Amino acid sequence: MKIKTVNEALVKQTMNAIGKFLAEHGHAGVQLVDKVGDFYARDIRNLVIGVVADDIRGFGIAIQDGKPIVVGDDYMQRLTIQNFTKMFENFYTAISMQEALKAMGYQVNATVLPKMEIAVRGVKGAGYGV
Amino acid sequence: MSSGYKRIDIKVDENGKVHIDTSGFVGDSCAKEAERLVALLQQAGLDVKTDKLELKAEYYAKAESGVKVKRQ
């Protein structure tokens, strides 16, 4: 993972955005949760936040040695842990970018593109429109 | 005179690489803004390294302040 240290507030913001994205893209019953199980249905320790849906048994972000790791159970699931990891990394990066731009005085907006690409635009100055 | 309008377009690609394009900056103000952005991203815990830097024509342009200073 390209995220070296955990910013828990950003992790939660990211999972909230992922939850909305999943709900808008064909996953029913999406919920953010504080417990996620592993393959053996044992609760995963040090979970920051998780997400479940009717067709997602549970993925989440836990902290191990101060670093974030993606956890969960993707056995026989449409969304694999590899795909979820990529989604989390890209959303986390984009949200970090948005927060950084806001701190620098920009007005920002973001769009999720096909293939899990994310475009972020920040503008400031006279006569702008995001 | 410059309008002061500045824009930063960022794309996080499918492999997680970040592409940044800026406009409205004159001279090295763009590089300074990029440094601030990188510092904030590192604070957020991201591992940020610059792979490739392409300078646009604006980098070589001189700033227009619109203000003249008279020396006495």
Side-chain angles (χ1 to χ4, degrees):
Chain A
M1 188 177 273
K2 292 150 195 161
I3 303 162
K4 287 166 77 176
T5 55
V6 179
N7 179 321
E8 287 195 19
L10 277 178
V11 168
K12 287 176 182 171
Q13 207 176 327
T14 301
M15 289 294 274
N16 197 37
I18 287 175
K20 282 182 187 165
F21 178 80
L22 291 171
E24 289 165 2
H25 288 80
H27 295 270
V30 175
Q31 283 183 62
L32 296 179
V33 292
D34 57 9
K35 279 187 181 178
V36 165
D38 64 11
F39 177 75
Y40 301 102
R42 297 174 303 204
D43 282 351
I44 291 164
R45 286 180 174 189
N46 300 325
L47 189 79
V48 177
I49 188 168
V51 63
V52 297
D54 293 353
D55 60 347
I56 298 172
R57 210 172 290 123
F59 294 116
I61 304 300
I63 299 171
Q64 194 172 69
D65 300 325
K67 292 185 176 179
I69 54 166
V70 174
V71 292
D73 175 16
D74 66 355
Y75 181 67
M76 300 286 283
Q77 301 283 287
R78 185 157 59 107
L79 183 64
T80 65
I81 204 157
Q82 286 85 1
N83 288 337
F84 182 80
T85 300
K86 179 173 158 182
M87 184 185 290
F88 179 79
E89 286 183 343
N90 282 13
F91 269 81
Y92 187 95
T93 304
I95 287 172
S96 301
M97 293 278 179
Q98 288 178 73
E99 291 303 312
L101 287 172
K102 280 182 198 169
M104 292 164 67
Y106 287 84
Q107 283 210 343
V108 298
N109 75 351
T111 311
V112 181
L113 306 169
K115 296 184 186 175
M116 202 43 62
E117 294 186 330
I118 304 175
V120 177
R121 170 168 285 181
V123 294
K124 71 175 173 183
Y128 60 73
V130 179
Chain B
M1 192 166 86
S2 168
S3 67
Y5 172 85
K6 293 179 175 62
R7 194 178 76 211
I8 298 183
D9 282 311
I10 296 164
K11 188 163 103 176
V12 184
D13 75 16
E14 59 182 311
N15 300 312
K17 279 199 169 189
V18 175
H19 308 261
I20 300 176
D21 183 36
T22 63
S23 61
F25 295 89
V26 177
D28 68 351
S29 61
C30 169
K32 286 176 183 166
E33 198 79 329
E35 277 175 24
R36 281 182 68 198
L37 181 60
V38 167
L40 287 167
L41 294 173
Q42 286 170 337
Q43 277 176 29
L46 289 178
D47 187 12
V48 184
K49 290 177 195 132
T50 304
D51 265 358
K52 190 177 173 187
L53 180 66
E54 289 178 14
L55 299 176
K56 295 161 83 173
E58 292 97 315
Y59 181 83
Y60 302 100
K62 286 186 179 174
E64 291 175 0
S65 69
V67 177
K68 288 183 181 176
V69 179
K70 282 186 180 177
R71 284 190 178 173
Q72 293 180 337

